[in-house]
Amino acid sequence: MGTVANGKQVKKIKSLLAIQSEVQSSNRIALSVDCVIFGFDENKLKVLLMRSDLKKYQSKWSLLGDLVKPDEDLDAAAYRILKQRTGLDDVYLEQVHSFGKINRHPGGRVVTVAYCSLINIQHHKLKILDNELHWHDVASVKDLAFDHKTIFDLSLQRLQKRVQEHPLGFSLLPNKFSLRELQNLYEAILSIKLDRRNFRKKFFAMNFLVDMDEIEQNLPHRPGKLYKFDYDKYEKNKKKWSGIDF
Amino acid sequence: MGTVANGKQVKKIKSLLAIQSEVQSSNRIALSVDCVIFGFDENKLKVLLMRSDLKKYQSKWSLLGDLVKPDEDLDAAAYRILKQRTGLDDVYLEQVHSFGKINRHPGGRVVTVAYCSLINIQHHKLKILDNELHWHDVASVKDLAFDHKTIFDLSLQRLQKRVQEHPLGFSLLPNKFSLRELQNLYEAILSIKLDRRNFRKKFFAMNFLVDMDEIEQNLPHRPGKLYKFDYDKYEKNKKKWSGIDF
DNA sequence: AAAATATTGTGTTTAATTTACACAATAAAT
DNA sequence: ATTTATTGTGTAAATTAAACACAATATTTT
């Protein structure tokens, strides 16, 4: 009972158990975050993947993930992990869903929380692109490590839905973009063809596009005007169109 | 190094560390599930709450929650916890969001995954109703234990959105219901008034209501016809109306 | 049994939104 | 000057949503 075992192992016990008093330590579980980072390039929707950490999965690509630390906010962990894996620290992350099947991870019991983000590939040249990270065409993502294909599929679905309710797409485009680029983006995300005239009508009606008085350069045909997304105008006109299908 | 300390504490170490080899045990975190159970009674939307386990929060109500076990699927944990707290085992639970602020729980670091469900109060007389559980009016839920008010608010928002995209509401009603009851339900969930004629038109057009050839009983005025929700018809006509605002 | 009460059941008109669709204007390349 | 590829624009038809009123019917009251 009162006997105290000396040595490293006992220290381990104490540090393990000290943090949380009322919560039984035997019930603790490893928790990870996996980030689904979408980009848009060459008129295709892309997703940023990394080579799996684990040997068993070395041949497969995986989402950008890592364990959450016990003294770290869940959201903060997502930002930390993204920063760590890519160097990116100025992007918005949004929680998608948590995945907790018992054997989803070969290294043991790990529950993971998926986050997703939209980034502009041009503006965010990845600092850490040492062959461990790669932008994949969303359309050609086949199997990923662990259950990451499931996570990716749900995240894509979520993106498709979100983008029809809110003007999120802009974070995937350069600051100045033509309406054709914008339409290409929506077509890529939703995997559908849209009518050009109706598309333009709808976006102009929403009243958050600002004409930059510039046109596209170096095209072998008539160039389009360039616009930017005005966040303040968006906030002001929100209620009028929020929830409308694009 | 090789010294082995005898006694209970060493056993504890081993059992703690044995389960997961590759995943560092120092990174493990307590994980819980909290269930937001909605019901509908007396034309009001209700939520099932329990008295908080913790002394510190005894005066407050809390969501139905408990820790997830290390060898248990996340979804399974939600069903287990609901069963344990209420006796209910035939309801559908849906994951809402995970909450992981560092100090959200006074008992230590606990990340929680919220689930929500719609149940029919009449059909599911709670087996365990020993003053520890109570159906609260959603409208009058003020502060709850921990961050449960935040969790509840988000779950309600989610419900309001979901119910406009899919015909979920039926699980809150008796098998046979009048159109007035159905409308009351939608008005309660969305906190808005709906036009009776347009409401009826919309639901009949969706073509999943079956006329039971019965009418309401014991009313001091003209009774309404009773209908039931036909899941097969719903599946068949899904595409035609899915996503339409009710 | 007649009258009062409270609610059900039903249709139409108008407005708003979505869809379908074609041609002239323009910048670059030849 | 011509060709090329794409931009920019408007209208009509169809669909969907919103607004709105009165007769029919069980029950209760007198």
Side-chain angles (χ1 to χ4, degrees), chain A residues 45 47 49 52 127 173 179 206 216 233:
Chain A
L45 188 63
V47 62
L49 300 175
S52 173
K127 289 118 205 167
L173 291 177
L179 273 178
M206 289 189 244
E216 296 175 285
K233 286 194 163 192

Side-chain angles (χ1 to χ4, degrees), chain B residues 99-123:
Chain B
F99 297 82
K101 284 226 184 305
I102 195 86
N103 286 320
R104 56 167 297 280
H105 196 290
R109 194 10 177 7
V110 184
V111 171
T112 198
V113 186
Y115 280 75
C116 98
S117 185
L118 307 179
I119 83 163
N120 174 323
I121 296 185
Q122 272 64 259
H123 289 198

